[in-house]
Amino acid sequence: MITPNRKPGKIQVSVLDANDLLREGLVMLLDRSDEFACPGNWRDAAAAMKELKEIQPDVLLVDMKLPGQSGFRVLEALPTLSPRTKAVVMVDCRADDCVVLNPRRYGERDATRIVPQPFSAPDDCLQMALKAGASGVMHNHCSFDYLAKAIRAVHGGRYWMELPTANRLAEQYLLTMRPSHLHDEAGAEKLTLRERQVASLVSQGRSNKEISRELHLGYSTVKNYVSSILEKLDLRDRTQIALYALDKA
């Protein structure tokens, strides 16, 4: 819903949130502030995508629990619809309850919860939002003052995230930047990154079915990776893979 509140000199913040009470509360707080104005608010992605091109807000607050179409689709379309707009994603779950998503299919939730593992920790919804183009991610149980800081940060060209999310991203970045312990020894350079992930999970006692679920791979694909590891490293069975991986950890 477009509202005639585009006030010069203020940061223009639109709101896309399925929760009517929360959305209307945010609109009221934004419009009553001396710093912000809210030129548009919507309860579903389709309505927002129809009007964002006309409004061109500075910042868009996006709820990830949207009916019909995922908020990730809005993030993907935002550079085309409104190139100047920075997105701040808001979720209502605790950091330890944040769902894990399959990075190949935005918006579909996997039942698996975050379990930090070497090489293979999947993205949670906040990490996926950043990779999909959001400039900020946060939990919506925060105060309005805290939200205002996030809005100012992304409007000024910076990124905003809470410490647990920053730590998870840093861990993933470091894993991609440095060779794994499995890669340090003779013979291990033959393994691909995915094979090293599988070997690490085998060393943790995971079955092929568990590895398939955690890495979002088909069961037969995991079996092929295990066979490839055995052949490349000249090993006889899964026990030797586990011992090899643990020795190089």
Side-chain angles (χ1 to χ4, degrees), residues 40-191:
N41 72 92
W42 310 272
R43 73 179 319 274
D44 65 82
M49 292 172 72
K50 287 180 180 178
E51 297 178 353
L52 275 169
K53 193 168 185 178
E54 176 183 347
I55 294 178
Q56 300 283 311
D58 299 312
V59 177
L60 175 66
L61 304 181
V62 184
D63 169 28
M64 283 293 99
K65 290 186 177 178
L66 295 173
Q69 188 175 15
S70 167
F72 289 105
R73 296 298 183 190
V74 177
L75 296 180
E76 291 176 327
L78 199 56
T80 300
L81 296 172
S82 185
R84 61 173 288 172
T85 302
K86 307 291 186 181
V88 175
V89 162
M90 303 180 70
V91 298
D92 62 3
C93 58
R94 300 191 307 272
D96 56 349
D97 284 339
C98 204
V99 296
V100 172
L101 299 176
N102 182 336
R104 291 171 295 182
R105 300 175 69 181
Y106 289 154
E108 291 190 16
R109 297 183 177 185
D110 187 280
T112 309
R113 297 293 177 179
I114 297 170
V115 180
Q117 299 290 348
F119 316 112
S120 63
D123 290 329
D124 63 35
C125 55
L126 296 180
Q127 291 167 273
M128 286 301 299
L130 289 167
K131 292 180 179 181
S135 296
V137 291
M138 61 192 304
H139 295 84
N140 64 12
H141 50 69
C142 66
S143 67
F144 183 72
D145 286 343
Y146 187 81
L147 175 61
K149 290 179 182 179
I151 293 171
R152 293 186 201 107
V154 301
H155 181 248
R158 300 189 297 276
Y159 284 85
W160 183 276
M161 69 190 79
E162 290 154 336
L163 186 58
T165 300
N167 285 340
R168 289 194 295 272
L169 286 174
E171 288 168 0
Q172 288 190 344
Y173 176 77
L174 289 173
L175 285 171
T176 61
M177 291 300 292
R178 67 171 181 256
S180 74
H181 295 297
L182 288 177
H183 192 77
D184 293 338
E185 301 293 334
E189 67 273 6
K190 299 177 183 178
L191 300 184

Side-chain angles (χ1 to χ4, degrees), residues 202 226 229-230 234-244:
V202 168
V226 171
I229 294 167
L230 292 171
D234 194 24
L235 301 175
R236 291 192 304 274
D237 52 35
R238 293 173 67 89
T239 300
Q240 287 196 335
I241 293 177
L243 291 173
Y244 182 89

